[in-house]
Amino acid sequence: MATQPRGDSPLFDPSQSELWTSRSWPDLFTAMRAADPLHYTPQSHYGAYWSATKYKDIQEIESLPKIFSSSWQYSGITIADAPEEIQDEDRMPMFIAMDPPEHTPQRRTVSPKFTPSGMAAMEPDIRQRTATLLESLPQGRPFDWVDRVAIELTTQMLALLFDFPWEQRRKLTYWSDWAGNVNAALDPESAKQRMNVMYEMGMFFAGLWEMKKTQEGGDDLIKMMQRSESMAHMPERMFIGNLILLIVGGNDTTRNSMTGIARIMSLFPAEWAKLKGEGEGSRLVKNAVQELIRWQTPLAHMRRTAVEDYDLRGKRIRAGDKVVMWYVSANRDEDIFEDGDRWMPDRENARRQLAFGYGIHRCVGARLAEMQLTILIEEMLKRDMRLLCEGEPERVASPFINGYHKQMVTMTRS
Ligand code: HEM
């Protein structure tokens, strides 16, 4: 694998966990965008990698899937390489870690669930459950927003989507947390434990899959996949891999955006006040949701592997090089977003946020995530709820999931 002379630029390594637990990454990326926006880190816990930090560069990389592969064969879509000891028969193939032509029909199978009419069908149920949960929260007494609200609402939504056994829905949270834990790859014991948890999840879904086959009717995601022509001839392992993808894809991301609401209400109270009095269907709330997703960017990056040499910003990325696309940085790129670390519900171009990615892999669940977040904010506004963060959150120590384990808040209603 080729290395790149760095010239005079300083050495940056945005993969270090401390940057994410202390939230010092915004300053680091500002420095990188100024000094060396396409940066090569020759050594890190995750090996050598390129960092793409500018909005336009990430769009360029994502629009060239034949050159920048997502395939699991080159270790997939996060900065952490898949452990070498995983045998082929243990792999759970997922379409997020595939290139065309394999990727296309699999994505097409699940995407009808996320059309505007598919979303409209789910909306009343999600709204009702959100309202019930908000009504159950204590007033004037601290509680953990992550556990009581963000995890609970996200897990409920996923359980509805899959018609997952309701009482066991927190299993989805547990599995998904392990799936997104890229640091597990750094320690053999954790890597093994992660594999075991993934195996347990696979077995559970295999059982659910068999059970669903015997059920008549139903329009949940599993039944849709079972009925689909393009999935009918797929190995069962692949169905299960894709189910896992949908759960992991929908879990950490939406959950951490929901906790972002508590953060922005505390950090930018005057901005939040602009939403006062906005009702259901408000355009300002929809824009505020885009701005929330931009500001939080719950998946800090996606990774590609170059399969041929490519020149970008006057540098040569060599075949075999790992390229990390930092969405958190693109969403604060001063060429696109002014004062990017500030949350402003009326930001004119909030819709241009890149947190859902770009191109053929752009998030399938984007509409569902947007709908859930919109409902949550609308229902909070209806109740005139105010959240005050009690100190700093406990952040996830990961350069992949930009999120929270815990955030104590006090809620008041006027
Ligand atoms: C705020 C919430 C969310 C964010 C920020 C987010 C972010 C992303 C990103 C960055 C990608 C990769 C894009 C790329 O490589 O260009 C992705 C892909 C994906 N997401 Fe999401 N996601 C969210 C919610 C969801 C939800 C709710 C679901 C489903 C329940 C979901 C399912 C998926 C799937 C299946 C893919 C793979 C798409 C493909 O490879 O074609 N996501 N998401």
Side-chain angles (χ1 to χ4, degrees):
M1 188 180 295
T3 55
Q4 172 75 25
R6 287 191 314 277
D8 292 334
S9 99
L11 192 58
F12 297 109
D13 179 9
S15 74
Q16 297 170 81
S17 292
E18 309 81 73
L19 290 166
W20 302 89
T21 43
S22 62
R23 201 182 185 274
S24 40
W25 54 263
D27 288 344
L28 180 86
F29 283 118
T30 304
M32 286 177 79
R33 287 192 301 275
D36 190 23
L38 180 67
H39 182 77
Y40 190 75
T41 305
Q43 263 184 332
S44 80
H45 288 316
Y46 305 96
Y49 66 95
W50 289 94
S51 284
T53 63
K54 295 289 280 181
Y55 188 99
K56 288 258 159 66
D57 291 355
I58 293 180
Q59 283 186 324
E60 184 169 337
I61 294 165
E62 292 228 55
S63 62
L64 297 166
K66 286 192 178 138
I67 296 174
F68 295 102
S69 167
S70 296
S71 174
W72 56 271
Q73 285 164 301
Y74 307 107
S75 249
I77 46 123
T78 76
I79 191 168
D81 295 327
E84 277 170 13
E85 58 277 12
I86 298 183
Q87 305 298 312
D88 264 3
E89 62 272 19
D90 287 337
R91 285 187 200 282
M92 296 283 179
M94 304 175 182
F95 65 85
I96 198 168
M98 288 177 196
D99 296 327
E102 242 186 327
H103 165 261
T104 322
Q106 298 196 30
R107 179 177 164 113
R108 228 175 257 150
T109 300
V110 299
S111 43
K113 185 75 187 168
F114 301 95
T115 55
S117 58
M119 293 301 94
M122 290 179 75
E123 197 203 307
D125 204 352
I126 292 183
R127 190 175 292 280
Q128 180 54 47
R129 287 174 195 278
T130 305
T132 307
L133 185 96
L134 291 181
E135 287 299 333
S136 75
L137 297 174
Q139 286 190 52
R141 263 188 298 121
F143 65 93
D144 180 12
W145 179 262
V146 174
D147 188 62
R148 288 279 299 258
V149 179
I151 291 184
E152 187 51 30
L153 284 181
T154 309
T155 312
Q156 286 188 6
M157 174 269 284
L158 289 171
L160 283 175
L161 203 58
F162 292 102
D163 191 23
F164 191 87
W166 194 252
E167 296 309 319
Q168 300 190 59
R169 65 188 183 279
R170 283 276 171 142
K171 280 198 161 99
L172 297 170
T173 319
Y174 173 71
W175 292 332
S176 169
D177 282 353
W178 270 102
N181 181 356
V182 295
N183 286 344
L186 303 177
D187 160 52
E189 261 313 297
S190 305
K192 208 166 127 199
Q193 199 179 346
R194 182 175 178 277
M195 268 313 294
N196 289 340
V197 175
M198 295 300 96
Y199 187 72
E200 175 199 307
M201 166 163 66
M203 292 299 288
F204 193 97
F205 273 113
L208 193 59
W209 187 261
E210 285 307 316
M211 193 270 281
K212 284 267 171 194
K213 269 188 190 162
T214 63
Q215 255 180 24
E216 292 285 317
D219 64 350
D220 62 88
L221 212 38
I222 300 185
K223 288 303 286 182
M224 258 173 99
M225 287 162 89
Q226 286 178 339
R227 275 199 296 266
S228 109
E229 189 49 40
S230 62
M231 282 200 160
H233 308 294
M234 238 177 236
E236 186 161 302
R237 237 164 13 101
M238 209 176 260
F239 286 117
I240 294 167
N242 283 329
L243 271 184
I244 295 171
L245 164 63
L246 285 153
I247 284 154
V248 176
N251 187 28
D252 285 313
T253 49
T254 314
R255 179 212 304 185
N256 289 314
S257 305
M258 286 181 177
T259 303
I261 298 176
R263 297 299 303 155
I264 54 156
M265 277 180 94
S266 273
L267 291 170
F268 310 106
E271 296 291 338
W272 180 266
K274 291 178 184 167
L275 296 177
K276 199 173 163 56
E278 295 290 324
E280 265 181 51
S282 148
R283 290 175 69 159
L284 186 59
V285 170
K286 286 199 164 60
N287 201 64
V289 166
Q290 293 302 320
E291 175 70 348
L292 169 68
I293 298 169
R294 183 196 68 79
W295 185 85
Q296 180 60 39
T297 314
L299 290 185
H301 76 260
M302 281 279 153
R303 166 255 182 98
R304 299 291 185 262
T305 309
V307 293
E308 50 186 84
D309 292 0
Y310 189 76
D311 291 340
L312 189 62
R313 280 195 183 267
K315 298 188 179 192
R316 174 147 300 180
I317 297 172
R318 302 267 183 204
D321 284 359
K322 188 192 299 196
V323 181
V324 176
M325 306 177 294
W326 294 103
Y327 299 132
V328 273
S329 174
N331 277 341
R332 282 161 178 74
D333 183 344
E334 32 294 285
D335 288 348
I336 312 286
F337 302 109
E338 208 184 318
D339 199 4
D341 207 28
R342 187 176 178 80
W343 181 81
M344 297 187 278
D346 48 359
R347 185 186 287 279
E348 271 183 8
N349 63 354
R351 287 203 74 82
R352 291 188 68 189
Q353 54 87 8
L354 262 196
F356 290 126
Y358 182 78
I360 61 165
H361 286 281
R362 188 178 186 275
C363 180
V364 166
R367 277 205 195 95
L368 177 57
E370 287 163 357
M371 180 176 83
Q372 262 221 304
L373 293 164
T374 306
I375 290 175
L376 178 54
I377 293 184
E378 284 172 353
E379 294 299 315
M380 287 172 76
L381 289 171
K382 265 185 208 168
R383 291 168 178 78
D384 227 336
M385 280 176 68
R386 291 229 13 90
L387 299 177
L388 189 66
C389 288
E390 302 286 341
E392 284 295 290
E394 215 176 277
R395 296 192 173 87
V396 178
S398 159
F400 181 56
I401 305 290
N402 180 30
Y404 314 89
H405 288 305
K406 191 171 178 178
Q407 173 67 70
M408 297 303 288
V409 299
T410 303
M411 188 264 285
T412 50
R413 282 168 70 165
S414 33

